[in-house]
Amino acid sequence: MTARVVQANPDGTATLQIGKREVEATVNQPMKNGALMRMRVTDVDTSRIALRQLTFANHPVGRYLVALRNLGRQGPFQHLFTLFGATLPTKGATAATHLKEKLQRFVSQIAVKPGKSGAEDVRRMVRQSGLMHEHNLMQGGQGGDEDLKGLSMKLAQAVKREEPLGKAVKALIDGIEKLQVVNRATGEVSGRFLLPLPIVMDGTLSFGQLLIDRGEEGPSGRDAKERVTRMSMLLDLTRLGELRADISLFKGAVRGTFSVTTPEAEALLTHDLEALTRSLSEKGFSVRKMGVQRVDRAVMAGTSLVDDLVDAVDGLHVST
Protein backbone atom coordinates (compact mmCIF):
# COMPACT_ATOMS: atom_id res chain seq x y z
CA MET A 1 0.00 0.00 0.00
CA THR A 2 1.00 3.65 -0.33
CA ALA A 3 0.82 6.19 2.51
CA ARG A 4 1.32 9.95 2.45
CA VAL A 5 2.88 11.81 5.40
CA VAL A 6 0.34 14.48 6.39
CA GLN A 7 2.23 15.76 9.42
CA ALA A 8 5.55 14.63 10.89
CA ASN A 9 6.14 15.66 14.52
CA PRO A 10 9.43 16.03 16.42
CA ASP A 11 8.23 13.67 19.19
CA GLY A 12 8.41 10.61 16.91
CA THR A 13 4.77 10.57 15.87
CA ALA A 14 3.21 11.27 12.50
CA THR A 15 -0.16 11.46 10.81
CA LEU A 16 -0.36 9.26 7.73
CA GLN A 17 -3.03 9.18 5.04
CA ILE A 18 -3.77 5.65 3.83
CA GLY A 19 -6.46 5.67 1.18
CA LYS A 20 -9.10 8.11 2.41
CA ARG A 21 -8.29 7.57 6.07
CA GLU A 22 -5.83 9.41 8.32
CA VAL A 23 -4.15 7.43 11.10
CA GLU A 24 -1.74 8.30 13.87
CA ALA A 25 1.63 6.55 13.80
CA THR A 26 4.69 6.14 15.97
CA VAL A 27 7.74 6.07 13.74
CA ASN A 28 11.40 5.19 14.16
CA GLN A 29 12.87 7.46 11.49
CA PRO A 30 12.66 11.07 10.26
CA MET A 31 9.88 11.82 7.79
CA LYS A 32 9.06 14.73 5.51
CA ASN A 33 5.60 16.23 5.22
CA GLY A 34 3.98 15.26 1.92
CA ALA A 35 6.32 12.32 1.32
CA LEU A 36 4.87 9.15 -0.22
CA MET A 37 5.96 5.76 1.16
CA ARG A 38 5.37 2.21 0.00
CA MET A 39 4.51 -0.07 2.90
CA ARG A 40 3.40 -3.62 3.59
CA VAL A 41 1.12 -4.75 6.44
CA THR A 42 2.99 -7.27 8.61
CA ASP A 43 0.61 -7.68 11.56
CA VAL A 44 -2.83 -6.53 12.74
CA ASP A 45 -4.42 -6.65 16.20
CA THR A 46 -7.10 -4.69 18.04
CA SER A 47 -4.86 -1.78 18.99
CA ARG A 48 -2.44 -1.32 16.13
CA ILE A 49 -1.39 -2.13 12.61
CA ALA A 50 2.26 -3.01 12.10
CA LEU A 51 3.59 -1.73 8.80
CA ARG A 52 6.97 -2.07 7.20
CA GLN A 53 8.28 0.53 4.81
CA LEU A 54 9.58 -0.77 1.53
CA THR A 55 12.72 0.65 -0.01
CA PHE A 56 14.87 -0.63 -2.83
CA ALA A 57 17.74 1.81 -2.26
CA ASN A 58 20.27 -0.76 -1.03
CA HIS A 59 19.17 -3.68 -3.18
CA PRO A 60 21.64 -4.86 -5.86
CA VAL A 61 18.98 -4.37 -8.57
CA GLY A 62 17.20 -1.53 -6.80
CA ARG A 63 17.02 0.77 -9.82
CA TYR A 64 15.35 -1.97 -11.86
CA LEU A 65 12.86 -2.61 -9.07
CA VAL A 66 12.02 1.09 -8.92
CA ALA A 67 11.59 1.20 -12.71
CA LEU A 68 9.25 -1.81 -12.65
CA ARG A 69 7.27 -0.39 -9.73
CA ASN A 70 6.84 2.93 -11.54
CA LEU A 71 5.48 1.17 -14.63
CA GLY A 72 2.40 0.13 -12.66
CA ARG A 73 0.72 -3.22 -12.31
CA GLN A 74 0.75 -4.08 -16.02
CA GLY A 75 4.49 -3.49 -16.08
CA PRO A 76 6.30 -3.37 -19.42
CA PHE A 77 3.46 -5.30 -21.03
CA GLN A 78 1.34 -2.15 -21.08
CA HIS A 79 3.43 -1.20 -24.14
CA LEU A 80 1.67 -3.99 -26.03
CA PHE A 81 -1.53 -1.95 -26.11
CA THR A 82 0.34 0.98 -27.65
CA LEU A 83 1.95 -1.44 -30.07
CA PHE A 84 -1.35 -3.05 -31.09
CA GLY A 85 -2.96 0.35 -31.63
CA ALA A 86 -0.10 1.83 -33.67
CA THR A 87 -0.57 2.27 -37.41
CA LEU A 88 2.09 1.41 -39.95
CA PRO A 89 2.90 3.15 -43.23
CA THR A 90 1.02 1.45 -46.06
CA LYS A 91 4.17 1.35 -48.16
CA GLY A 92 6.95 -1.10 -47.42
CA ALA A 93 5.58 -2.38 -44.09
CA THR A 94 4.39 -5.85 -45.11
CA ALA A 95 6.83 -7.76 -42.86
CA ALA A 96 6.21 -5.48 -39.88
CA THR A 97 2.43 -5.73 -40.30
CA HIS A 98 2.64 -9.52 -40.46
CA LEU A 99 4.78 -9.68 -37.30
CA LYS A 100 2.55 -7.23 -35.44
CA GLU A 101 -0.55 -9.31 -36.25
CA LYS A 102 1.29 -12.51 -35.31
CA LEU A 103 2.32 -10.99 -31.95
CA GLN A 104 -1.25 -9.88 -31.27
CA ARG A 105 -2.60 -13.38 -31.99
CA PHE A 106 0.17 -14.90 -29.88
CA VAL A 107 -0.69 -12.80 -26.81
CA SER A 108 -4.37 -13.71 -27.15
CA GLN A 109 -3.47 -17.41 -27.36
CA ILE A 110 -1.30 -17.50 -24.23
CA ALA A 111 -3.65 -15.33 -22.14
CA VAL A 112 -5.42 -17.09 -19.26
CA LYS A 113 -9.19 -17.55 -19.71
CA PRO A 114 -10.93 -18.04 -16.33
CA GLY A 115 -13.04 -21.19 -16.35
CA LYS A 116 -11.27 -22.51 -19.45
CA SER A 117 -7.54 -22.45 -18.75
CA GLY A 118 -5.88 -25.15 -16.67
CA ALA A 119 -2.53 -25.58 -14.93
CA GLU A 120 -0.78 -26.58 -18.16
CA ASP A 121 -2.06 -23.41 -19.86
CA VAL A 122 -0.49 -21.33 -17.07
CA ARG A 123 2.81 -23.22 -17.40
CA ARG A 124 2.77 -22.63 -21.15
CA MET A 125 2.11 -18.94 -20.56
CA VAL A 126 5.16 -18.76 -18.27
CA ARG A 127 7.37 -20.50 -20.85
CA GLN A 128 6.21 -18.19 -23.64
CA SER A 129 6.10 -14.92 -21.68
CA GLY A 130 9.58 -14.01 -22.94
CA LEU A 131 11.20 -14.24 -19.52
CA MET A 132 12.69 -17.63 -20.44
CA HIS A 133 13.78 -16.56 -23.92
CA GLU A 134 17.51 -17.21 -23.50
CA HIS A 135 16.86 -20.47 -21.65
CA ASN A 136 14.65 -21.63 -24.50
CA LEU A 137 17.38 -20.73 -26.98
CA MET A 138 19.93 -22.78 -25.07
CA GLN A 139 17.50 -25.70 -25.07
CA GLY A 140 17.21 -25.41 -28.85
CA GLY A 141 13.53 -24.56 -28.84
CA GLN A 142 12.09 -23.36 -32.16
CA GLY A 143 14.85 -20.87 -32.80
CA GLY A 144 13.70 -18.94 -29.75
CA ASP A 145 11.14 -16.91 -31.70
CA GLU A 146 7.95 -18.43 -30.35
CA ASP A 147 7.83 -16.40 -27.19
CA LEU A 148 6.90 -12.82 -26.46
CA LYS A 149 10.46 -11.49 -26.36
CA GLY A 150 11.57 -13.36 -29.48
CA LEU A 151 8.65 -12.09 -31.55
CA SER A 152 9.14 -8.55 -30.23
CA MET A 153 12.82 -8.60 -31.19
CA LYS A 154 11.91 -9.67 -34.72
CA LEU A 155 9.35 -6.89 -34.93
CA ALA A 156 11.93 -4.37 -33.68
CA GLN A 157 14.16 -5.27 -36.61
CA ALA A 158 11.31 -4.73 -39.08
CA VAL A 159 10.28 -1.22 -38.02
CA LYS A 160 12.03 2.13 -37.71
CA ARG A 161 13.02 3.11 -34.18
CA GLU A 162 11.60 6.62 -34.48
CA GLU A 163 8.12 5.39 -35.37
CA PRO A 164 5.55 5.02 -32.53
CA LEU A 165 5.51 1.27 -33.11
CA GLY A 166 9.31 1.10 -32.95
CA LYS A 167 9.37 3.05 -29.68
CA ALA A 168 6.68 0.83 -28.15
CA VAL A 169 8.53 -2.36 -29.14
CA LYS A 170 11.83 -1.05 -27.73
CA ALA A 171 10.13 -0.08 -24.44
CA LEU A 172 8.54 -3.55 -24.25
CA ILE A 173 11.85 -5.37 -24.80
CA ASP A 174 13.69 -3.11 -22.34
CA GLY A 175 11.00 -3.77 -19.72
CA ILE A 176 11.10 -7.53 -20.24
CA GLU A 177 14.89 -7.48 -19.81
CA LYS A 178 14.61 -5.46 -16.59
CA LEU A 179 12.16 -8.05 -15.26
CA GLN A 180 14.57 -10.82 -16.28
CA VAL A 181 17.41 -9.14 -14.33
CA VAL A 182 15.19 -8.68 -11.26
CA ASN A 183 13.95 -12.28 -11.33
CA ARG A 184 17.48 -13.60 -11.67
CA ALA A 185 18.57 -11.63 -8.59
CA THR A 186 15.55 -12.31 -6.37
CA GLY A 187 15.30 -15.93 -7.52
CA GLU A 188 18.85 -16.68 -6.44
CA VAL A 189 18.48 -14.97 -3.04
CA SER A 190 14.96 -15.84 -1.94
CA GLY A 191 13.36 -18.04 -4.60
CA ARG A 192 10.90 -15.34 -5.66
CA PHE A 193 9.84 -14.66 -9.24
CA LEU A 194 7.47 -12.06 -10.69
CA LEU A 195 5.66 -13.02 -13.89
CA PRO A 196 3.16 -11.33 -16.17
CA LEU A 197 -0.35 -12.71 -16.04
CA PRO A 198 -2.20 -11.97 -19.29
CA ILE A 199 -5.89 -12.59 -18.69
CA VAL A 200 -9.04 -12.17 -20.74
CA MET A 201 -12.12 -11.12 -18.76
CA ASP A 202 -15.41 -10.18 -20.44
CA GLY A 203 -13.57 -10.17 -23.77
CA THR A 204 -10.98 -7.65 -22.57
CA LEU A 205 -7.24 -8.40 -22.37
CA SER A 206 -5.27 -7.05 -19.41
CA PHE A 207 -2.08 -7.95 -17.61
CA GLY A 208 -1.99 -8.82 -13.93
CA GLN A 209 0.90 -9.97 -11.75
CA LEU A 210 1.84 -13.47 -10.61
CA LEU A 211 4.39 -13.89 -7.81
CA ILE A 212 5.86 -17.32 -7.08
CA ASP A 213 7.80 -17.73 -3.84
CA ARG A 214 9.48 -21.12 -3.55
CA GLY A 215 10.84 -20.30 -0.10
CA GLU A 216 14.33 -19.10 0.78
CA GLU A 217 16.68 -22.01 0.29
CA GLY A 218 19.78 -20.50 1.92
CA PRO A 219 23.27 -21.98 1.75
CA SER A 220 22.18 -25.32 3.16
CA GLY A 221 19.58 -25.81 0.43
CA ARG A 222 16.60 -26.89 2.50
CA ASP A 223 14.62 -29.82 1.20
CA ALA A 224 11.61 -28.73 -0.86
CA LYS A 225 9.26 -30.55 1.54
CA GLU A 226 10.47 -28.33 4.40
CA ARG A 227 9.82 -25.05 2.56
CA VAL A 228 6.64 -22.99 2.47
CA THR A 229 5.68 -22.33 -1.13
CA ARG A 230 3.60 -19.22 -1.76
CA MET A 231 1.81 -17.84 -4.77
CA SER A 232 0.15 -14.44 -5.13
CA MET A 233 -1.95 -13.10 -7.98
CA LEU A 234 -3.04 -9.52 -8.55
CA LEU A 235 -5.46 -8.80 -11.37
CA ASP A 236 -8.45 -6.79 -12.53
CA LEU A 237 -11.76 -8.65 -12.87
CA THR A 238 -13.24 -5.71 -14.84
CA ARG A 239 -16.85 -5.37 -13.63
CA LEU A 240 -16.10 -7.29 -10.40
CA GLY A 241 -13.18 -5.05 -9.48
CA GLU A 242 -9.65 -5.98 -8.47
CA LEU A 243 -8.58 -9.25 -6.89
CA ARG A 244 -5.54 -10.33 -4.91
CA ALA A 245 -5.14 -14.03 -4.12
CA ASP A 246 -2.50 -15.27 -1.66
CA ILE A 247 -2.03 -19.05 -1.44
CA SER A 248 0.53 -20.95 0.66
CA LEU A 249 1.43 -24.64 0.69
CA PHE A 250 3.38 -26.47 3.39
CA LYS A 251 3.59 -30.27 3.61
CA GLY A 252 0.33 -30.68 1.74
CA ALA A 253 -1.56 -28.10 3.83
CA VAL A 254 -3.10 -25.19 1.93
CA ARG A 255 -4.04 -21.75 3.21
CA GLY A 256 -5.52 -19.01 1.10
CA THR A 257 -6.89 -15.48 1.29
CA PHE A 258 -8.77 -13.72 -1.49
CA SER A 259 -8.91 -9.92 -1.22
CA VAL A 260 -11.49 -8.05 -3.30
CA THR A 261 -12.86 -4.51 -3.49
CA THR A 262 -16.55 -4.99 -4.32
CA PRO A 263 -19.43 -6.70 -2.49
CA GLU A 264 -20.31 -8.54 -5.72
CA ALA A 265 -16.87 -10.14 -5.92
CA GLU A 266 -16.94 -10.94 -2.20
CA ALA A 267 -20.30 -12.73 -2.51
CA LEU A 268 -19.24 -14.63 -5.64
CA LEU A 269 -15.94 -15.87 -4.23
CA THR A 270 -17.49 -16.74 -0.86
CA HIS A 271 -20.06 -18.85 -2.69
CA ASP A 272 -17.31 -20.64 -4.66
CA LEU A 273 -15.05 -21.38 -1.67
CA GLU A 274 -16.80 -24.62 -0.78
CA ALA A 275 -16.30 -26.02 -4.30
CA LEU A 276 -12.65 -24.90 -4.28
CA THR A 277 -12.04 -26.53 -0.89
CA ARG A 278 -13.66 -29.75 -2.07
CA SER A 279 -11.59 -29.77 -5.27
CA LEU A 280 -8.34 -29.31 -3.36
CA SER A 281 -9.28 -32.06 -0.89
CA GLU A 282 -10.00 -34.47 -3.75
CA LYS A 283 -6.50 -33.77 -5.07
CA GLY A 284 -4.97 -34.79 -1.72
CA PHE A 285 -4.46 -31.38 -0.10
CA SER A 286 -5.47 -30.52 3.44
CA VAL A 287 -7.24 -27.13 3.44
CA ARG A 288 -6.41 -25.43 6.74
CA LYS A 289 -7.87 -22.00 6.04
CA MET A 290 -9.56 -20.37 3.06
CA GLY A 291 -11.28 -17.00 3.25
CA VAL A 292 -12.45 -13.88 1.41
CA GLN A 293 -12.00 -10.33 2.64
CA ARG A 294 -13.00 -6.93 1.26
CA VAL A 295 -10.37 -4.19 1.25
CA ASP A 296 -10.40 -0.49 0.46
CA ARG A 297 -10.22 0.32 -3.26
CA ALA A 298 -7.49 2.89 -2.71
CA VAL A 299 -5.36 0.38 -0.79
CA MET A 300 -5.75 -2.22 -3.54
CA ALA A 301 -5.03 0.34 -6.27
CA GLY A 302 -1.68 1.16 -4.64
CA THR A 303 -0.68 -2.50 -4.32
CA SER A 304 2.02 -4.06 -6.49
CA LEU A 305 3.63 -7.49 -6.16
CA VAL A 306 6.96 -5.84 -7.02
CA ASP A 307 6.95 -4.85 -3.34
CA ASP A 308 6.84 -8.53 -2.33
CA LEU A 309 9.92 -9.48 -4.34
CA VAL A 310 12.31 -8.24 -1.67
CA ASP A 311 12.24 -8.29 2.11
CA ALA A 312 11.21 -5.01 3.66
CA VAL A 313 13.22 -2.73 5.90
CA ASP A 314 12.48 0.18 8.22
CA GLY A 315 9.65 -0.74 10.60
CA LEU A 316 6.72 1.51 11.43
CA HIS A 317 3.95 1.05 13.97
CA VAL A 318 0.59 2.63 13.19
CA SER A 319 -2.25 2.98 15.70
CA THR A 320 -5.78 2.43 14.41
Side-chain angles (χ1 to χ4, degrees), residues 190-208:
S190 58
R192 297 173 197 165
F193 302 89
L194 182 65
L195 306 168
L197 185 58
I199 184 168
V200 175
M201 289 289 297
D202 299 331
T204 301
L205 172 69
S206 65
F207 280 84

Side-chain angles (χ1 to χ4, degrees), residues 157-188:
Q157 294 174 349
V159 297
K160 295 180 179 179
R161 291 187 177 184
E162 63 272 14
E163 294 175 353
L165 180 59
K167 293 179 180 178
V169 176
K170 182 181 184 302
L172 172 63
I173 296 171
D174 288 347
I176 290 175
E177 291 180 343
K178 284 185 174 66
L179 189 50
Q180 286 180 299
V181 171
V182 166
N183 278 335
R184 191 175 299 118
T186 58
E188 290 176 353

Side-chain angles (χ1 to χ4, degrees), residues 119-168:
E120 181 53 39
D121 295 300
V122 175
R123 284 192 285 269
R124 178 170 57 87
M125 180 275 296
V126 172
R127 290 194 302 270
Q128 298 179 324
S129 66
L131 299 181
M132 298 178 65
H133 177 73
E134 288 73 16
H135 174 78
N136 292 339
L137 279 177
M138 292 177 65
Q139 298 298 315
Q142 297 188 33
D145 63 333
E146 293 305 312
D147 65 42
L148 194 53
K149 183 177 179 181
L151 286 171
S152 299
M153 292 172 71
K154 282 194 170 185
L155 181 57
Q157 294 174 349
V159 297
K160 295 180 179 179
R161 291 187 177 184
E162 63 272 14
E163 294 175 353
L165 180 59
K167 293 179 180 178

Side-chain angles (χ1 to χ4, degrees), residues 32 71 145 180 185 273:
K32 293 182 179 180
L71 280 174
D145 63 333
Q180 286 180 299
L273 275 187

Side-chain angles (χ1 to χ4, degrees), residues 80-126:
L80 280 168
F81 300 108
T82 303
L83 187 156
F84 294 156
T87 56
L88 287 165
T90 55
K91 190 175 181 180
T94 305
T97 301
H98 172 72
L99 284 167
K100 174 188 169 185
E101 292 173 350
K102 182 176 182 179
L103 182 60
Q104 193 162 1
R105 289 194 302 270
F106 183 80
V107 173
S108 297
Q109 288 168 3
I110 67 172
V112 174
K113 288 87 173 175
K116 298 180 181 179
S117 299
E120 181 53 39
D121 295 300
V122 175
R123 284 192 285 269
R124 178 170 57 87
M125 180 275 296
V126 172

